[in-house]
Amino acid sequence: MGLGGISIWQLLIVLAIVILLFGTKKLRNVGGDLGTAIKNFKQSMKSAEVDEAQEDAPSKQVEHQAAEAGAESKTDTKAKA
């Protein structure tokens, strides 16, 4: 038994019919197109992660500066008192 009750021979017969219908050149083109699409998708995901990291970095820096400014103002008020 193969995948879900399909034997290896049945899969080979289906593969042979697909090759006869579409031809090897057409199947090769479809495989290449699919590979290119997956590659582009992965590159887009990586660039989106980098863009998010770059967008988050300035906001974290501003928050850090605001926290430092708040801490300085607290120490200034303590020093004056």
Side-chain angles (χ1 to χ4, degrees), residues 11-45:
L11 289 174
L12 289 174
I13 292 170
V14 170
L15 179 64
I17 291 171
V18 169
I19 289 173
L20 288 173
L21 288 175
F22 295 109
T24 56
K25 185 175 180 182
K26 181 77 170 182
L27 291 176
R28 190 178 316 128
N29 289 342
V30 169
D33 292 343
L34 182 63
T36 303
I38 291 172
K39 182 178 177 182
N40 289 337
F41 178 75
K42 286 181 179 180
Q43 287 176 347
S44 297
M45 292 302 292

Side-chain angles (χ1 to χ4, degrees), residues 5 14 17 19 24 37 50 53-54 65 68-69 80:
V14 170
I17 291 171
I19 289 173
T24 56
V50 169
Q54 289 175 350
Q65 289 174 348
E68 285 179 352
K80 291 179 182 178

